Amino acid sequence: DVKVTQSSRYLVKRTGEKVFLECVQDMDHENMFWYRQDPGLGLRLIYFSYDVKMKEKGDIPEGYSVSREKKERFSLILESASTNQTSMYLCASSGASRGRETQYFGPGTRLLVL
Amino acid sequence: QKEVEQNSGPLSVPEGAIASLNCTYSDRGSQSFFWYRQYSGKSPELIMFIYSNGDKEDGRFTAQLNKASQYVSLLIRDSQPSDSATYLCAVGGTSYDKVIFGPGTSLSVIP
């Protein structure tokens, strides 16, 4: 079974704090993704990575950065958390070839910024 | 801007009926098509994927793809209350990397 884990299920942070969300997958997938999901707005891609140390901006990268030092681990960083970053954050991974591009999601981190 | 649209919900069907979920996409070069189910408070999970025109059946679920019309659908036969969830359509391009997710359709199966 594919397993994608996220470091926290729930987080409460203060405005201005630096926040780290970590994601680990055990399927040797090349691709990893960070999304946020908000009511009425669906899944929005923040960043994705197709290889170690490689990253590409998604649709809403502002206010976020990412790090991928190892193939199995992809971190999302909120440099200075703001209240409009309160959301559900979902990590996903997938292979990079035809037939392996199904994305598998972690359980999600619900972040509240006060 | 590549787009994926889904029929607006919420959709309500009685138990035992067929639920029909629809999705259209704008990129003619799209190669892969996915349906995910998401229960409230949970993360999306894959139900089916389809690559070729026509129908693909898996148990009570049937995915239908028509590339000429840029249309993909999901039929759920003999709907059960446990099928009540939000269904996300996702469409992939040629790079096998990113997919574009639709906004989702909320399905409620009434006992």
Side-chain angles (χ1 to χ4, degrees):
Chain A
D1 265 359
V2 175
K3 196 166 184 181
V4 180
T5 57
Q6 295 183 227
S7 49
S8 304
R9 293 299 303 273
Y10 301 95
L11 270 182
V12 180
K13 296 292 181 180
R14 297 275 179 199
T15 301
E17 279 193 79
K18 192 168 186 176
V19 182
F20 293 88
L21 303 181
E22 196 163 75
C23 176
V24 178
Q25 52 94 4
D26 67 357
M27 279 300 292
D28 199 34
H29 280 164
E30 292 83 357
N31 300 324
M32 296 188 75
F33 308 82
W34 276 107
Y35 296 91
R36 62 178 284 178
Q37 188 173 36
D38 302 287
L41 295 177
L43 275 169
R44 292 183 291 169
L45 181 64
I46 303 171
Y47 268 98
F48 79 100
S49 169
Y50 52 90
D51 201 353
V52 176
K53 297 191 186 294
M54 306 303 287
K55 60 186 179 184
E56 282 201 23
K57 293 180 180 179
D59 301 318
I60 51 163
E62 296 79 18
Y64 303 94
S65 61
V66 290
S67 172
R68 192 166 181 202
E69 298 295 320
K70 293 185 178 181
K71 191 175 184 179
E72 67 271 18
R73 194 177 300 265
F74 191 34
S75 300
L76 179 69
I77 303 148
L78 287 65
E79 297 290 344
S80 177
S82 63
T83 54
N84 62 12
Q85 291 178 311
T86 291
S87 186
M88 168 72 96
Y89 289 88
L90 289 162
C91 175
S93 72
S94 74
S97 57
R98 174 84 164 197
R100 294 189 69 239
E101 70 269 53
T102 296
Q103 292 193 16
Y104 295 90
F105 286 84
T109 295
R110 195 168 291 279
L111 173 66
L112 173 63
V113 182
L114 299 173
Chain B
Q1 179 83 3
K2 298 174 185 177
E3 290 185 350
V4 176
E5 297 182 352
Q6 297 184 238
N7 49 335
S8 58
L11 178 66
S12 289
V13 300
E15 184 175 355
I18 295 175
S20 177
L21 303 162
N22 303 318
C23 174
T24 59
Y25 59 95
S26 63
D27 183 7
R28 284 199 171 274
S30 299
Q31 300 279 335
S32 50
F33 307 86
F34 306 85
W35 282 100
Y36 287 81
R37 177 177 61 201
Q38 186 175 24
Y39 291 115
S40 180
K42 302 293 186 182
S43 56
E45 55 179 341
L46 182 75
I47 300 175
M48 293 187 72
F49 61 86
I50 185 168
Y51 297 134
S52 304
N53 277 331
D55 295 358
K56 179 181 179 181
E57 189 174 314
D58 183 1
R60 295 186 296 111
F61 299 96
T62 299
Q64 299 175 317
L65 174 62
N66 183 327
K67 288 186 178 179
S69 299
Q70 296 175 242
Y71 175 90
V72 58
S73 66
L74 180 70
L75 300 177
I76 307 175
R77 289 182 302 281
D78 188 24
S79 295
Q80 301 295 310
S82 58
D83 295 326
S84 297
T86 296
Y87 289 80
L88 303 172
C89 172
V91 176
T94 56
S95 66
Y96 311 128
D97 291 330
K98 288 193 297 181
V99 298
I100 308 296
F101 283 87
T105 299
S106 174
L107 172 67
S108 182
V109 180
I110 311 302

